[in-house]
Amino acid sequence: MGATGEGRQLIRCLRQAGYQIMTWADSNYGEQLARQDGAVTILTGPFTEANLATLESNRQLKAVIDATLPYPNHVSRTLEAWCQQQQLCYLRFLRAETELPDNNLVYQVSSWEEAARTAARLGETIFLTTGTNNLEVFVANPLLKDKRIVVRVLPEHQVIKKCQDLGLTPRDIIAMQGPFSKEINRAMFKACKANVIVTRDAGPAGGTEAKIAAALALKIPLVVIKRPAIQYRYPVATVAEAIALLKKIAPPKSNVGNGGYILCSAGQHG
């Protein structure tokens, strides 16, 4: 449940392996992508325990793969608890972490709140590359009351609406889909006259290295929210590893298209 490249690749590869894929999409765009990738059933609407309960009657559901970004979130907590109740295998897809450079412009923090406090003392214009995830933590922080907050988000109606509802103006909302190269990041940071960049460690696949390189090239401080150490029973780091493990714990039937259902997370949480 995270419109990551790995999430989409998982859907395609699992279909080729003989599984039928259910996925949860929280936007029209996410639904379109999931359909293109071969998901058989696409669940829509907000991700709630009540909506998740509608799956309990589906006895063909064999496992759940959570491909959201590897940070504590309501979706992951709810999914893992539900899988335990339903005695379903819960696989957690974990991207590789980024090796941060030894540079005094890079500030490593462990929470969103710490990121907001750190950004507040580093500059007047804070550029958030974390989407709308926990945007309210920055907007509501009194230390940032008189600061300019620029946010880069997905070009989705409900995403932009959240920004506006939190008080951001069009001038401070950049609606584009990434990942972005070092050059594009650098141009955006420079155009917005950013004094500090905030990102979370989405791994090399999520463009973290390009953000770091762009910020350091401009000599702009960068606040990086590192992921917490969480233990999972079935952690996987690659698509191949996920499929290999899944074939052991929930093998597909030989008749392609009639294998068990896999709930593969592929919504958007930007």
Side-chain angles (χ1 to χ4, degrees):
M1 300 181 118
T4 60
E6 297 96 333
R8 298 191 61 196
Q9 188 181 357
L10 273 168
I11 294 176
R12 295 192 293 265
C13 292
L14 285 168
R15 281 293 293 157
Q16 293 174 1
Y19 293 99
Q20 297 189 72
I21 309 302
M22 258 181 215
T23 189
W24 206 297
D26 60 2
S27 69
N28 291 333
Y29 182 56
E31 184 176 355
Q32 291 171 13
L33 293 179
R35 203 175 302 282
Q36 290 173 12
D37 293 331
V40 175
T41 304
I42 302 172
L43 308 172
T44 58
F47 187 90
T48 63
E49 293 182 17
N51 287 340
L52 194 57
T54 62
L55 297 176
E56 293 178 7
S57 61
N58 191 324
R59 299 305 175 192
Q60 287 186 292
L61 188 60
K62 301 298 182 184
V64 171
I65 303 178
D66 182 356
T68 57
L69 288 175
Y71 288 82
N73 61 77
H74 168 70
V75 172
S76 294
R77 288 191 294 267
T78 303
L79 267 179
E80 188 173 19
W82 183 77
C83 286
Q84 290 177 350
Q85 293 173 0
Q86 302 299 314
Q87 297 184 325
L88 289 169
C89 294
Y90 171 84
L91 279 67
R92 188 64 168 102
F93 195 98
L94 299 172
R95 284 176 169 178
E97 293 190 68
T98 305
E99 185 175 343
L100 298 182
D102 183 12
N103 191 299
N104 58 10
L105 287 175
V106 177
Y107 295 79
Q108 181 175 322
V109 299
S110 58
S111 70
W112 296 92
E113 291 76 14
E114 186 182 1
R117 292 193 301 270
T118 304
R121 65 181 175 83
L122 290 174
E124 296 300 313
T125 299
I126 292 88
F127 192 114
L128 304 180
T129 68
T130 51
T132 55
N133 224 333
N134 289 291
L135 176 58
E136 57 275 7
V137 172
F138 295 87
V139 173
N141 192 304
L143 296 175
L144 296 172
K145 181 181 179 182
D146 297 320
K147 311 280 188 178
R148 179 190 177 198
I149 297 176
V150 179
V151 61
R152 188 167 68 191
V153 299
L154 286 171
E156 277 281 333
H157 168 70
Q158 66 268 32
V159 172
I160 297 172
K161 184 178 184 301
K162 178 179 179 179
C163 295
Q164 293 174 326
D165 289 346
L166 286 172
L168 272 69
T169 63
R171 169 178 176 258
D172 296 328
I173 302 172
I174 300 175
M176 293 178 68
Q177 182 177 0
F180 303 98
S181 67
K182 171 188 173 182
E183 291 72 23
I184 293 178
N185 278 312
R186 179 172 176 166
M188 287 186 186
F189 299 162
K190 190 173 181 179
C192 293
K193 296 180 172 60
N195 300 129
V196 55
I197 311 300
V198 177
T199 187
R200 57 184 169 182
D201 184 5
T208 303
E209 291 176 339
K211 298 174 190 177
I212 294 173
L216 294 184
L218 293 169
K219 294 182 171 53
I220 299 174
L222 180 85
V223 179
V224 182
I225 307 168
K226 294 294 288 183
R227 70 184 67 165
I230 301 176
Q231 299 299 317
Y232 297 98
R233 183 177 180 185
Y234 295 117
V236 291
T238 66
V239 172
E241 186 181 343
I243 293 176
L245 178 58
L246 197 57
K247 286 182 176 180
K248 291 180 181 179
I249 60 181
K253 296 179 181 179
S254 57
N255 187 5
V256 175
N258 290 323
Y261 278 86
I262 304 298
L263 177 60
C264 184
S265 56
Q268 294 179 8
H269 299 279

